[in-house]
Structure formats: structure tokens, C-alpha cells
Amino acid sequence: MLGISVDSPFANGAYAIELGLEFPLLGDFPWGRTGKAWGILNEERGITARMTYVIDADGVVRHIIDAPRDFNAHPEGALEYLKSMA
């Protein structure tokens, strides 16, 4: 598992510590290339949509969670999906 954010590495580091994240939080800063590649970057505002992708070992997207304001939907939805695959 990993996270990607358009924030700076310093902001991501502080955020990861604050939340006690146990996975890497990568920075798509300052160019937003990952957000552009996935079609979720709003270049005018310099932000990306809050999305979660469950990607298998072969690189196939198996599940997408698009819940911009529901922060809990992302980890809970991903975990629920993964459990359903077992």
C-alpha cells in the first residue's frame, strides 16, 4: 500500500507522522505528473481528486473509490474489497 499526494515531501512527512501512517506517502510535487497520468489533476487549482485505487500484482486496477469528502470511505472501502477477494 502507498499514498500519493500533490503536497510537498515535507508536508507529506508531517501528515504521515500526524496520522501514524504505516505505508509510504509519496509526493507528486511540484509537477503533478501522476495526477495528470491518471486524469485526476485539476491544474488550475493544483490539486488532485481524492481517489483510491486497488491495483493487483499485475498492475490491473481492480477497484476504485471516489469519495472526495468521505475520508473513511477510502481505507474502509479498500479493506472491504480486499476481504471480499479472499
Side-chain angles (χ1 to χ4, degrees):
M1 180 182 333
L2 62 89
I4 302 175
S5 171
V6 295
D7 295 323
S8 74
F10 301 107
N12 284 343
Y15 188 65
I17 290 169
E18 178 183 330
L19 294 178
L21 299 182
E22 296 180 12
F23 56 86
L25 187 53
L26 307 177
D28 194 20
F29 178 84
W31 301 285
R33 291 180 181 143
T34 303
K36 286 179 190 174
W38 286 81
I40 60 171
L41 177 67
N42 180 327
E43 291 189 61
E44 184 177 298
R45 295 184 61 205
I47 60 172
T48 55
R50 183 175 304 277
M51 304 286 287
T52 296
Y53 300 93
V54 177
I55 304 171
D56 70 15
D58 295 321
V60 176
V61 175
R62 297 294 179 180
H63 187 65
I64 299 172
I65 301 162
D66 181 2
R69 299 202 190 308
D70 185 353
F71 298 117
N72 292 331
H74 295 269
E76 291 170 1
L79 186 57
E80 182 179 313
Y81 178 77
L82 292 171
K83 285 179 179 178
S84 77
M85 298 292 296

